[in-house]
Amino acid sequence: MRTALSPVLLDVPRAAAIWLSLLGVVTLAVAGLLLRPRLLRFDAGARIREAALPSRSEHTEEQRDQDRWAEEVAVAAGRAEATAHRRRDEWLATQDEAEQSWQAYEAAEADVRRLSGATGMPLPQTPHTPAEYADRERWLHRAALDAYWRRELSVEQLSDVFAHRGWDPRLHPVEQELMLRRAVRDHLFARQRAARKREQDAWRSAELAAAAARSLREEAVSALLPAAEGADSVLPLTALGGVEQTREIPTAVVGRAPVAAY
């Protein structure tokens, strides 16, 4: 009997040490759970959110793509703004041209009215000789050429004067001047209408360029805004213990960036 119990008695201290070690581990675990009760809670919503969110590598790649896209849109917005400024300058230039052409037409119309009022007066009597007719023709050609150099007559009108198409060089210079002023008025009116058409086309081009610049600028601002948190897109679930967690998701309002008027 003594021989049988001797090996058992020799293992008792070792077994006691093992049990004491296990008891210490269990005690530390229980104490840790009591000090941090959240470890006992099973948060299903958190697990789902963690599963729905992209991994760190995917998030890094997505952020890199977003930064590249924002940079490209910013460059395009800068070019669009430069184009909008250029189109605006062109529109202002055509607007000045249209205003100047209108003032020139009004002056020509005033000359026509003044000379028309003077036609009721008797014309000076001059001898009807070949020399007089030659002088009248030279005066008409010289007056038409001067008006052409002042850009008051077109090439076609000047050709008609020299070819005597619709022009009678034998008329008195007063009558020829009235005809010449009417031709100048008609030419300036046509030029004013063409300038007005160019001004309207330039205005439409400037408006389209400004709208494109505003759109690209808004796109650039949207691309540079920080992305919304992924956790806000996942609805919370009912937690353990029968307490339902509710959370109102705020509405994100993204405002427009201030833009310059064109």
Side-chain angles (χ1 to χ4, degrees):
M1 187 67 177
R2 185 179 302 171
T3 303
L5 291 176
S6 57
V8 176
L9 294 176
L10 291 176
D11 294 335
V12 168
R14 185 181 302 171
I18 293 174
W19 280 105
L20 288 176
S21 300
L22 294 176
L23 183 60
V25 171
V26 172
T27 303
L28 291 175
V30 172
L33 292 177
L34 292 177
L35 292 177
R36 300 183 64 183
R38 292 182 60 184
L39 297 177
L40 292 175
R41 185 181 304 169
F42 177 75
D43 193 352
R47 297 292 181 84
I48 294 177
R49 285 193 294 269
E50 291 177 0
L53 291 176
S55 62
R56 184 177 299 273
S57 61
E58 294 177 353
H59 179 72
T60 303
E61 183 66 24
E62 182 180 355
Q63 185 64 33
R64 189 159 45 246
D65 294 340
Q66 184 70 18
D67 294 341
R68 188 184 303 111
W69 167 249
E71 183 179 359
E72 292 176 357
V73 174
V75 172
R79 293 177 179 175
E81 288 179 0
T83 302
H85 284 293
R86 187 169 62 254
R87 293 289 186 269
R88 176 179 171 81
D89 294 339
E90 293 174 356
W91 168 60
L92 292 177
T94 55
Q95 191 178 34
D96 293 339
E97 181 184 356
E99 181 65 23
Q100 293 175 3
S101 62
W102 174 254
Q103 293 175 1
Y105 164 72
E106 286 186 331
E109 179 65 25
D111 290 341
V112 170
R113 288 196 300 268
R114 177 177 56 83
L115 292 176
S116 297
T119 55
M121 300 178 62
L123 297 176
Q125 295 296 327
T126 57
H128 294 241
T129 61
E132 176 64 20
Y133 289 145
D135 290 340
R136 292 181 180 183
E137 183 178 4
R138 282 193 299 269
W139 183 93
L140 176 61
H141 292 172
R142 183 171 61 252
L145 191 59
D146 292 341
Y148 171 76
W149 290 120
R150 291 193 303 266
R151 300 181 60 190
E152 294 178 351
L153 286 180
S154 63
V155 178
E156 292 78 8
Q157 289 175 316
L158 183 63
S159 300
D160 292 340
V161 170
F162 278 88
H164 302 164
R165 288 191 295 265
W167 295 83
D168 188 0
R170 296 172 300 176
L171 295 178
H172 194 274
V174 174
E175 298 175 326
Q176 292 178 353
E177 185 177 2
L178 177 59
M179 294 182 59
L180 186 62
R181 289 295 97 191
R182 286 174 177 171
V184 168
R185 179 199 58 186
D186 296 341
H187 173 67
L188 292 180
F189 180 70
R191 194 171 69 179
Q192 192 275 333
R193 293 186 61 182
R196 179 64 177 172
K197 179 65 168 54
R198 289 193 299 270
E199 188 267 338
Q200 292 177 352
D201 294 341
W203 178 80
R204 282 192 292 267
S205 298
E207 284 293 311
L208 291 176
R214 286 193 297 267
S215 178
L216 286 174
R217 192 180 302 113
E218 292 173 0
E219 184 68 22
V221 171
S222 301
L224 291 175
L225 289 177
E229 296 182 0
D232 294 339
S233 62
V234 182
L235 294 177
L237 300 178
T238 303
L240 295 178
V243 180
E244 183 178 0
Q245 297 178 351
T246 60
R247 178 181 177 184
E248 183 180 357
I249 301 178
T251 303
V253 179
V254 180
R256 289 187 175 182
V259 297
Y262 296 102

